[in-house]
Amino acid sequence: MNVDDIWNAIDEQRVRTADLLEQLTDDEWSRPSLCEGWTVRDVAAHLTLQQLTVVDLVRMALRHPGGVNTIIRESSRHRARQPTAELIADLRGMIGSRRHNVGITPLETMIDLLVHGQDIAIPLQRDLPMPPDAATAGATRLWSTRGTGKARVFADLPLDGFRLTATDAEWSSGSGPEVRGPISAILLLLSGRRAGLSRLEGDGAGELRRRLAHA
């Protein structure tokens, strides 16, 4: 994907996510997301914090001292105190803008939207389509940054020793027994989510499930 394709995917995903959020009941907003310890509201609030400047980040770090994950979590929870309509309006307000958080690329912004959108949709049994081309670019990025500082906001699962292969896109990485499935399920796996495991198959799928059960 070139930079224009990435920003088009970002805009598309923001529209879809905002549309989904508008359909949720008050009860659904308060339910747990796929992010451990995060509610749906917390995740939605997090998605409104994608255009932070250096000054914004310094203020957040001073308000919520700790590591990167602590700052992200507590800042999202702080933002989640805002009214539901305001959170949705803020997400829609970013559509068409090409600003992104300082220190990252538009690709990380897109991955954040793709993954956190599923963090909201899956536990609520809601459908939020994930474009295969965007998921493919995201999977390539997460695979290449596993175990590095760039991936620290997502948990690493023990995926060494398997070959991951997408069944709906031209993507494959790793070596060993094959685990294959939709690229959306693979992207979730690479971002530390087990929610897509039921959609994976192949010679290595059973062993991968057993490994993750004890991880």
Side-chain angles (χ1 to χ4, degrees):
M1 299 180 76
N2 61 39
V3 67
D4 288 331
D5 291 334
I6 292 172
W7 280 113
N8 288 337
I10 288 171
D11 284 344
E12 179 180 298
Q13 207 63 20
R14 281 175 174 157
V15 169
R16 289 177 173 176
T17 304
D19 288 347
L20 172 62
L21 292 173
E22 284 185 333
Q23 300 171 23
L24 303 185
T25 64
D26 290 342
D27 175 66
E28 287 175 313
W29 275 84
S30 64
R31 290 187 196 175
S33 71
L34 289 186
C35 295
E36 186 176 357
W38 290 52
T39 65
V40 166
R41 176 175 291 275
D42 294 335
V43 177
H46 173 69
L47 292 179
T48 71
L49 300 174
Q50 290 192 318
Q51 298 184 336
L52 302 175
T53 65
V54 172
V55 173
D56 293 327
L57 291 174
V58 170
R59 287 173 177 167
M60 288 166 58
L62 292 174
R63 184 183 297 123
H64 309 292
V68 172
N69 288 333
T70 298
I71 295 170
I72 291 172
R73 182 186 67 244
E74 295 308 317
S75 296
S76 297
R77 288 175 175 171
H78 180 80
R79 179 66 182 152
R81 299 172 187 171
Q82 301 301 316
T84 298
E86 183 174 325
L87 294 176
I88 296 173
D90 285 347
L91 183 59
R92 288 198 186 279
M94 292 189 287
I95 296 169
S97 170
R98 292 201 169 191
R99 288 179 54 201
H100 57 80
N101 286 347
V102 64
I104 65 170
T105 72
L107 188 52
E108 274 74 45
T109 300
M110 184 186 74
I111 293 170
D112 212 39
L113 280 160
L114 293 174
V115 174
H116 288 311
Q118 300 307 307
D119 288 338
I120 292 170
I122 290 176
L124 298 180
Q125 298 182 336
R126 297 274 189 157
D127 182 42
L128 184 61
M130 187 187 295
D133 57 342
T136 299
T140 299
R141 180 66 163 181
L142 289 183
W143 181 267
S144 69
T145 57
R146 287 186 313 137
T148 70
K150 290 183 180 299
R152 65 178 175 270
V153 295
F154 289 137
D156 279 333
L157 295 178
L159 303 177
D160 292 336
F162 298 98
R163 182 159 187 81
L164 304 180
T165 301
T167 55
D168 57 350
E170 293 185 8
W171 190 92
S172 189
S173 290
S175 60
E178 187 178 57
V179 177
R180 60 182 181 272
I183 189 65
S184 58
I186 291 174
L187 181 65
L188 288 175
L189 194 66
L190 291 172
S191 62
R193 276 72 172 165
R194 294 170 167 81
L197 278 174
S198 62
R199 294 189 287 156
L200 300 176
E201 57 184 14
D203 294 341
E207 176 57 31
L208 177 60
R209 292 189 183 95
R210 285 189 290 273
R211 180 186 294 186
L212 295 184
H214 296 90

